[in-house]
Amino acid sequence: GYIEQEKVASPLRRGNVYARIRMIILYDQSSAEAALVVGTSNKTESLLGYSTLFGDSAWAINPLGDLYKRQVRQLSRAMGVPDSILTKAPSADLWLGQTDEEELGMSYDEADRMLHLLVDRRDRPEQVVQKGFDETKVNAVVERLVRYQFKRVPGPIPKLSTRTLNVDWLYSRDWQT
């Protein structure tokens, strides 16, 4: 029945739990080693919302965060990463048979080209379609950009006092008394 189905977590819910458990372990190890957690998410994943809050989207520093997936592949190739890794289907490996591109409904290369036009060049969706991209996929990318903005910014804090974190208390100069 309905209640029994509610008790069984979907693969997505279980996957999010696994991603958060991974991050708990990484932060615990970083504390034990007095080290920083280094993020591995790239610009494509972040823009498309393809991450788990407080899971793979948690880090102290993310050196790949402003590189599109194809740029990460180019960098990896230049650094000598083996082809067996470079050609492996991208997957969070949170459940058997899961691949990122299947879930997204397009290849990362296609998504990267659209994101470059929409984000970096600031083209409007109709301009991207005029450049030969499938309208349904362009609309899907735009929808994800909008829908997952909340994953790319700190959670909102209601302004209740004269100085509110991330609203009007933002910079090191604010630490002066």
Side-chain angles (χ1 to χ4, degrees):
Y2 176 76
I3 292 174
E4 291 172 13
Q5 289 176 354
E6 282 295 310
K7 290 181 182 179
V8 178
S10 69
L12 177 62
R13 285 177 51 207
R14 285 193 309 273
N16 284 335
V17 169
Y18 301 153
R20 290 179 179 118
I21 289 170
R22 284 180 189 167
M23 199 50 64
I24 289 169
I25 293 167
L26 287 174
Y27 268 92
D28 177 61
Q29 290 301 299
S30 78
S31 179
E33 299 293 327
L36 296 175
V37 172
V38 178
T40 59
S41 294
N42 56 66
K43 190 173 186 176
T44 307
E45 294 165 343
S46 295
L47 287 170
L48 294 175
Y50 203 72
S51 63
T52 299
L53 282 177
F54 310 111
D56 57 326
S57 67
W59 56 70
I61 185 170
N62 186 10
L64 303 176
D66 198 31
L67 296 176
Y68 286 109
K69 186 77 153 184
R70 65 191 317 183
Q71 292 172 311
V72 172
R73 285 184 180 135
Q74 290 169 343
L75 176 63
S76 299
R77 189 169 283 110
M79 292 176 65
V81 172
D83 279 342
S84 60
I85 293 172
L86 293 174
T87 58
K88 180 184 177 287
S91 173
D93 291 323
L94 297 175
W95 59 84
L96 191 62
Q98 181 269 337
T99 67
D100 298 0
E101 293 175 323
E102 185 177 315
E103 281 189 85
L104 292 171
M106 68 190 80
S107 71
Y108 272 120
D109 284 342
E110 188 174 18
D112 281 353
R113 291 192 308 273
M114 285 187 268
L115 288 167
H116 173 73
L117 294 170
L118 291 163
V119 175
D120 298 307
R121 298 213 20 196
R122 300 181 184 192
D123 285 359
R124 293 185 317 280
E126 54 272 12
Q127 292 173 297
V128 177
V129 171
Q130 288 171 354
K131 291 177 180 171
F133 289 92
D134 177 82
E135 184 174 6
T136 302
K137 290 181 180 181
V138 171
N139 290 338
V141 167
V142 170
E143 182 183 330
R144 291 184 77 93
L145 283 169
V146 172
R147 181 187 323 151
Y148 295 115
Q149 170 64 13
F150 75 95
K151 290 186 175 188
R152 297 187 295 271
V153 296
I157 299 172
K159 181 156 183 58
L160 303 174
S161 67
T162 57
R163 300 296 297 237
T164 304
L165 301 176
N166 295 326
V167 175
D168 55 13
W169 199 77
L170 303 169
Y171 308 104
S172 59
R173 69 172 185 261
D174 293 330
W175 303 340
Q176 308 298 321
T177 55

